[in-house]
Amino acid sequence: MELKKNMLMKKKGIAYTLKGNYYFPNLSISKGKNFTIGKYGKARLRHIKQYNKVLYNNLLLSGKLNTYLHSIDTKCNTILESIIIKLAKQENVTEDLKASHQLEWVARMNVRQLGV
């Protein structure tokens, strides 16, 4: 009996190719965007690797992990920026202060960012 060179398993929806005496699945890695992941994305990655392995494996195997971590990182940075802007307004840290007293502006902004 001669084996078919290509085979499709209808139940699984996976195509196979014959190499030697074995069938290998025709799998490929999707070529999505590869984003740089920042502080908050890396923290989320550590968290889901340790505490939510099912989510981690699902995202990894579906090729969506990088995009997911990028969206988390972007959202966190946006929230942080809005908090810093609100606190700067609350403390009356303005662009005028930056232009006239740069060191005082830097000191006040550092205190706000550190939460001291």
Side-chain angles (χ1 to χ4, degrees):
M1 178 178 157
E2 190 168 326
L3 299 173
K4 295 179 184 178
K5 183 170 177 141
N6 293 310
M7 178 177 71
L8 176 65
M9 290 188 73
K10 291 183 182 180
K11 285 185 180 179
K12 303 281 184 185
I14 300 174
Y16 291 84
T17 302
L18 180 67
K19 295 197 181 188
N21 292 328
Y22 301 99
Y23 282 104
F24 291 96
N26 298 338
L27 302 176
S28 63
I29 299 172
S30 63
K31 302 218 176 193
K33 283 199 168 197
N34 192 12
F35 298 104
T36 302
I37 306 301
K39 173 182 175 179
Y40 302 107
K42 289 177 184 175
R44 180 65 179 160
L45 175 62
R46 282 191 305 273
H47 178 79
I48 64 174
K49 268 185 169 179
Q50 186 172 3
Y51 297 108
N52 198 341
K53 292 181 190 240
V54 173
L55 175 63
Y56 171 72
N57 285 323
N58 286 340
L59 290 169
L60 182 65
L61 294 174
S62 67
K64 297 177 182 176
L65 180 62
N66 187 263
T67 305
Y68 171 76
L69 295 174
H70 176 70
S71 70
I72 295 290
D73 198 55
T74 303
K75 286 176 188 174
C76 288
N77 282 318
T78 303
I79 292 168
L80 180 64
E81 283 180 31
S82 68
I83 290 171
I84 290 172
I85 289 169
K86 285 178 185 176
L87 288 172
K89 282 182 183 177
Q90 191 176 14
E91 295 295 320
N92 202 22
V93 178
T94 62
E95 290 296 317
D96 293 335
L97 180 64
K98 184 178 179 181
S100 60
H101 298 91
Q102 292 176 356
L103 290 177
E104 184 181 345
W105 181 86
V106 169
R108 285 175 147 190
M109 288 302 287
N110 285 337
V111 167
R112 286 291 117 214
Q113 289 180 5
L114 295 175
V116 177

